[in-house]
Amino acid sequence: MLLKGNTFVAGSQWGDESKGKIADCLAAEADIVARAQGGPNAGHTVWIGEKKYVFHLLPCGILHDHCVNIVGNGVVIGVEGIVHEIESLQERGWRVDGKNLLISDRAHLILPRHLAADNANEDSEGNKLGTTRRGVGPAYSDKAARISAMRMCDLMEFDLFREKYARICDMSDIPEEEMNATLDAYADHAEFLRPHVTDTTAVLHDALEAGKRIVFEGAQGTLLDIDFGTYPYVTSSSTTAGGVCTGLGIPPSAVQETMAVVKAYTTRVGLGPFPSEMDDVFGAKVREAGDEYGATTGRPRRCGWLDMVGLRYSSRINGFTQLAVSKMDVLDGLETLRICVGYRRNGEAVDRFPALLSVLEECEPVYEEMPGWSEDTSAVREYDQLPANARAYLERIEALLDTPVTCVSVGKERSATMARM
């Protein structure tokens, strides 16, 4: 039994920690799986046998027939994208209907102009933040500006949507032909999505009162949080436990457990400081072994050793109660492992994660070394059957974070996950 209470599946690093895989495992024991933030910039991958499923907007609980899946008010939704995800799953034989997928009527929409703005920003010099180009940042900007944003409830009242969208197009000098083409498509999308759209806050509060088991599926990672990440190389939403409450309209007391998903090493995509980054040759070896390429963009990820300074910082913000360590099998065959247990800057110890990127760039990692293991762990399904040095590595992680490791993943497939009680 992995699900000990209503659990937030938190990204503890720079994203790509295997949150989708862990959320899918927990969903087997849950009644509800809910997304609170982010948008189609998420890429949550679940393997069932040789079949691969990548979710950008839908919660991973959609692969469990008993689960209700909720896309919360804090998520920004690309209408075409979510329609495509639903239709693709249905074509593959999965049930997706108005009972097992609910979408918040307060969720904001990613419009075509948001996509155009995102691509323009990424193509311009001086604005290369490494976004997924899915329109997420511009949609959140419009939401905060409160002038020309649109919500799912607007789409459900299509005559109102048509009027608002016409005004926005007029303000943005969007040609009438382009506007009409979008409206024609969105009229169809509105009817397709209508059975799913509802007041999800009410659904969640009813579920909490009834004692239902809920998994809150995080997107991105703590070090990409809009407030607490390596700004400006961050995402546009709150990726931490606080974002769960505002992104779903629930009280803090509803989050009973925070399971931090920790990759057995560290990766990040794009620009920004990375103190524990491996050298190019070793990093490339780990990248290939771990298939470290983005599920959404296909971009190669930078690889580094496990960074405890960043993890301790993430734990303080989220309140980790348990750890799920993923991709342990990628470390198979390495003679020596390193854990970054601190930083040094200009000869002085740094024990906190700096806010200023110029300071973080000057931080040098302080490593603790541990012996690796030569055995293949990919077929192991019981914690006690892991190599002794692999168990020692995991137990050192939990000691350094003062948080128990309750889940270990040794492969991409759903079954390659073991609980440790």
Side-chain angles (χ1 to χ4, degrees):
M1 182 76 175
L2 271 174
L3 194 60
K4 299 178 180 179
N6 297 335
T7 300
F8 170 39
V9 179
S12 63
Q13 297 154 306
W14 277 290
D16 310 311
E17 303 96 346
S18 302
K19 292 180 295 296
K21 183 178 195 291
I22 300 304
D24 171 69
C25 289
L26 293 177
E29 303 170 7
D31 299 302
I32 294 174
V33 179
R35 275 275 307 272
Q37 47 74 224
N41 52 348
H44 292 184
T45 304
V46 177
W47 285 85
I48 303 177
E50 293 301 313
K51 294 181 179 179
K52 180 181 181 181
Y53 300 88
V54 179
F55 300 107
H56 301 289
L57 284 160
L58 300 186
C60 290
I62 203 71
L63 298 178
H64 296 267
D65 198 53
H66 67 278
C67 272
V68 174
N69 295 270
I70 291 176
V71 181
N73 56 276
V75 179
V76 289
I77 297 175
V79 176
E80 301 92 336
I82 199 165
V83 168
H84 175 71
E85 279 193 55
I86 293 169
E87 289 180 332
S88 296
L89 270 182
Q90 290 172 335
E91 288 168 4
R92 295 177 75 173
W94 293 91
R95 179 175 73 91
V96 187
D97 56 33
K99 292 184 178 179
N100 72 342
L101 175 64
L102 304 177
I103 301 169
S104 173
D105 52 8
R106 291 175 169 85
H108 280 248
L109 304 180
I110 298 172
L111 301 172
R113 63 195 187 84
H114 295 138
L115 291 167
D118 210 1
N119 280 281
N121 285 337
E122 282 297 302
D123 287 336
S124 65
E125 290 301 321
N127 283 305
K128 296 184 182 296
L129 296 178
T131 78
T132 57
R133 301 188 179 210
R134 298 297 180 96
V136 172
Y140 274 119
S141 294
D142 263 9
K143 176 180 178 178
R146 298 165 292 153
I147 297 172
S148 54
M150 304 278 274
R151 298 188 294 170
M152 193 61 72
C153 56
D154 295 314
L155 188 64
M156 294 300 102
E157 297 291 337
F158 199 76
D159 288 342
L160 177 64
F161 180 89
R162 186 185 301 276
E163 291 177 16
K164 287 186 175 181
Y165 192 70
R167 288 199 297 271
I168 291 169
C169 289
D170 186 53
M171 290 165 51
S172 306
D173 294 323
I174 294 173
E176 184 175 355
E177 183 179 345
E178 182 180 331
M179 177 191 75
N180 288 333
T182 299
L183 286 170
D184 288 344
Y186 273 45
D188 292 336
H189 296 330
E191 292 312 306
F192 182 89
L193 293 173
R194 190 173 301 282
H196 303 278
V197 178
T198 190
D199 181 354
T200 55
T201 60
V203 174
L204 282 164
H205 280 269
D206 288 346
L208 289 168
E209 287 185 7
K212 299 290 187 181
R213 298 162 299 174
I214 305 174
V215 171
F216 307 110
E217 182 181 343
Q220 292 83 46
T222 299
L223 300 184
L224 293 174
D225 183 87
I226 185 67
D227 289 304
F228 299 109
T230 48
Y231 191 90
Y233 302 108
V234 295
T235 193
S236 300
S237 62
S238 176
T239 63
T240 60
V244 174
C245 301
T246 57
L248 290 169
I250 57 172
S253 58
V255 184
Q256 298 166 324
E257 293 280 328
T258 298
M259 177 178 277
V261 188
V262 179
K263 194 177 287 188
Y265 45 100
T266 307
T267 61
R268 79 170 301 175
V269 174
L271 302 176
F274 190 177
S276 68
E277 188 166 14
M278 298 168 176
D279 65 62
D280 290 344
V281 174
F282 205 76
K285 180 180 178 180
V286 171
R287 183 182 305 114
E288 294 308 312
D291 191 25
E292 293 295 351
Y293 297 89
T296 301
T297 63
R299 292 179 300 188
R301 299 172 185 143
R302 297 157 63 191
C303 298
W305 298 105
L306 195 63
D307 185 341
M308 283 295 158
V309 182
L311 285 171
R312 286 194 295 266
Y313 172 69
S314 295
S315 184
R316 286 197 297 270
I317 292 167
N318 289 288
F320 296 164
T321 59
Q322 49 185 312
L323 308 175
V325 180
S326 65
K327 293 205 166 186
M328 278 290 289
D329 56 306
V330 176
L331 302 183
D332 291 353
L334 299 183
E335 185 175 338
T336 303
L337 304 178
R338 287 178 158 189
I339 300 176
C340 174
V341 294
Y343 299 155
R344 293 191 73 82
R345 176 176 176 258
N346 299 328
E348 299 290 330
V350 177
D351 61 357
R352 296 186 180 181
F353 197 78
L356 197 61
L357 294 198
S358 59
V359 172
L360 186 59
E361 285 170 348
E362 294 174 351
C363 288
E364 298 178 353
V366 177
Y367 286 120
E368 181 179 293
E369 292 192 347
M370 298 186 69
W373 54 91
S374 58
E375 299 94 327
D376 180 356
T377 63
S378 62
V380 176
R381 296 296 181 267
E382 298 290 338
Y383 182 85
D384 291 342
Q385 294 175 7
L386 286 168
N389 287 349
R391 296 197 306 272
Y393 183 71
L394 291 165
E395 287 156 23
R396 185 58 180 149
I397 292 171
E398 67 179 1
L400 288 167
L401 285 177
D402 193 26
T403 309
V405 173
T406 59
C407 180
V408 181
S409 173
V410 291
K412 63 184 183 181
E413 212 275 330
R414 176 187 267 179
S415 64
T417 311
M418 64 196 82
R420 176 183 176 230
M421 304 305 177

